[in-house]
């Protein structure tokens, strides 16, 4: 077997591994990725898998294995180092990292995006509360740069004018921010009780009010509106996938708006599967841009 063939076979196995990660951890992103063409879907799955593995080090499987804070920090540092080496060389013994490196080298993802991401993941190890400044920095690194990584995957092989790229980049950042903030709001009580962590500055389950909830959702609505404005500039399959993802989270935001603040602290709000399927159908046919939660904003 030729060396090039060996690398191609290894890379194909790595991409399959990343696809399995997204199927195992996220129905929403898994559903959205299926709308993409095969090549772009592989890139998005590779990005998601690396993000998921880093998150499992900080908040999931590593803790379940009983690792100490220092051991978690060492693993995250090792993952970042391995990722940067693979991005430079095109190879890693870690299949998820290898798949990401293939995507990064193909799409132009660089350390300007991976370093802020790992910085935010590292903040989760020791920071339990945020100031407005640290929250903005955290959301950029943990979510907005992921949106920018996905955008680079969507635009592979396409020439985009600088002013168009600015609109698309702004949309990608705001959509990533909206996703992150919605998850923070939905998981407010769980994050505080299980992780001792409060992401929104000045807000915890002990002082969470209806006014707080509505203020946070208004901010999320603004993010979703800005991201929706960028949809027409995306390639067709990417446009449908992003419309689907946006529709799913806009629906979740609407459900959070309808749910009293005190109830959010007792129950995790979800979008039922039949509703997800209906949103998927709209996105695939391009019949509608997702309605935003702002349409239900009370005055």
């Amino acid at each position: 077997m030729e060396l090039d063939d060996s690398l191609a076979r290894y890379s194909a196995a790595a991409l399959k591994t990343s696809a399995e990660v997204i199927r195992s951890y996220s129905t929403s992103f898994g559903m959205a990725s299926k709308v993409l063409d095969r090549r772009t879907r592989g890139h998005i799955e590779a990005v998601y898998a690396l993000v998921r593995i880093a998150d499992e080090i900080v908040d999931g499987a590593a803790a379940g294995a009983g690792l100490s804070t220092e051991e978690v920090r060492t693993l995250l540092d090792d993952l970042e180092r391995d990722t940067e080496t693979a991005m430079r060389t095109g190879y890693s013994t870690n299949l998820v990292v290898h798949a990401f490196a293939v995507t990064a080298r193909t799409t132009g993802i660089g350390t300007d995006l991976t370093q802020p991401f790992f910085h935010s993941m590292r903040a989760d190890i020791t920071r339990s509360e945020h100031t407005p400044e640290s929250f903005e920095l955290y959301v950029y690194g943990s979510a907005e740069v992921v949106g920018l990584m996905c955008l680079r995957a969507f635009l592979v092989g396409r020439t985009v004018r600088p002013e168009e790229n600015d609109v698309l980049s702004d949309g990608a950042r705001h959509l990533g921010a909206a996703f992150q903030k919605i998850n923070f709001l939905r998981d407010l009580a769980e994050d505080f009780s299980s992780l001792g962590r409060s992401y929104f500055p000045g807000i915890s389950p002990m002082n969470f009010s209806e006014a707080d909830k509505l203020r946070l959702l208004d901010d999320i609505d603004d993010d979703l509106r800005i991201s929706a404005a960028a949809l027409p500039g995306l390639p067709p399959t990417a446009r449908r996938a992003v419309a689907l993802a946006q529709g799913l989270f806009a629906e979740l935001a609407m459900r959070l708006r309808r749910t009293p603040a005190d109830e959010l602290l007792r129950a995790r709000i979800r979008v039922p599967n039949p509703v997800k399927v209906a949103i998927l159908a709209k996105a695939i046919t391009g019949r509608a841009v997702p309605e935003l939660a702002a349409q239900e904003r009370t005055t």
Side-chain angles (χ1 to χ4, degrees):
M1 181 181 292
E2 297 292 333
L3 290 179
D4 286 349
D5 292 338
S6 296
L7 181 60
R9 184 176 183 181
Y10 184 81
S11 296
L15 289 171
K16 289 179 182 177
T17 301
S18 294
E20 182 58 34
V21 171
I22 196 171
R23 281 194 296 269
S24 298
Y25 280 93
S26 176
T27 56
S28 296
F29 283 100
M31 183 182 291
S33 70
K34 285 182 171 61
V35 181
L36 295 165
D37 62 273
R38 184 175 179 179
R39 180 182 178 87
T40 305
R41 181 169 66 249
H43 291 320
I44 298 303
E45 290 169 343
V47 169
Y48 178 88
L50 180 70
V51 169
R52 183 74 253 173
I53 294 302
D55 193 59
E56 287 299 311
I57 291 174
V58 174
D59 285 336
L67 272 63
S68 68
T69 298
E70 281 309 309
E71 288 171 322
V72 166
R73 188 191 303 277
T74 297
L75 283 177
L76 190 64
D77 289 346
D78 289 345
L79 181 63
E80 181 176 19
R81 190 178 305 110
D82 189 11
T83 299
E84 291 193 358
T85 299
M87 290 165 67
R88 176 174 53 82
T89 64
Y91 176 76
S92 173
T93 57
N94 181 321
L95 286 170
V96 167
V97 172
H98 182 83
F100 179 82
V102 171
T103 284
R105 289 162 66 89
T106 302
T107 65
I109 294 171
T111 56
D112 59 317
L113 297 181
T114 58
Q115 287 179 355
F117 169 73
F118 280 103
H119 182 272
S120 286
M121 292 298 96
R122 204 168 282 110
D124 271 341
I125 299 173
T126 55
R127 182 180 286 276
S128 59
E129 295 182 357
H130 281 278
T131 65
E133 294 75 21
S134 70
F135 179 75
E136 182 177 349
L137 187 63
Y138 179 87
V139 171
Y140 173 74
S142 65
E144 294 180 30
V145 298
V146 178
L148 292 172
M149 291 180 195
C150 292
L151 178 61
R152 293 193 184 181
F154 295 152
L155 298 181
V156 169
R158 294 176 178 268
T159 301
V160 179
R161 296 194 304 272
E163 58 272 21
E164 293 174 325
N165 187 66
D166 288 344
V167 172
L168 292 173
S169 296
D170 198 34
R173 289 184 60 179
H174 279 277
L175 188 57
F179 289 176
Q180 187 71 292
K181 293 171 189 175
I182 289 171
N183 284 330
F184 288 163
L185 180 55
R186 180 176 63 175
D187 299 335
L188 181 67
E190 182 181 353
D191 285 341
F192 190 81
S193 61
S194 63
L195 301 174
R197 194 178 298 154
S198 179
Y199 286 101
F200 294 115
I203 292 179
S204 75
M206 280 86 76
N207 63 16
F208 186 60
S209 68
E210 187 70 13
D212 289 328
K213 185 198 76 171
L214 294 176
R215 175 173 57 82
L216 294 173
L217 284 167
D218 288 348
D219 179 53
I220 290 167
D221 289 348
D222 289 338
D223 286 324
L224 289 172
R225 275 196 299 274
I226 293 170
S227 66
L231 280 174
L234 291 171
T237 62
R239 188 185 314 132
R240 289 192 290 270
V242 174
L244 170 57
Q246 180 157 349
L248 292 171
F249 278 85
E251 175 67 25
L252 179 56
M254 284 193 285
R255 289 172 182 269
L256 292 171
R257 188 176 288 277
R258 294 170 184 160
T259 306
D262 60 345
E263 188 176 334
L264 287 182
L265 301 179
R266 300 190 301 269
R268 193 172 192 267
I269 307 303
R270 299 177 182 273
V271 178
N273 286 336
V275 177
K276 289 182 178 180
V277 171
I279 295 171
L280 172 62
K282 286 186 177 181
I284 289 176
T285 59
R287 286 186 285 117
V289 172
E291 294 180 358
L292 302 184
Q295 293 176 348
E296 290 200 354
R297 182 180 299 177
T298 56
T299 58

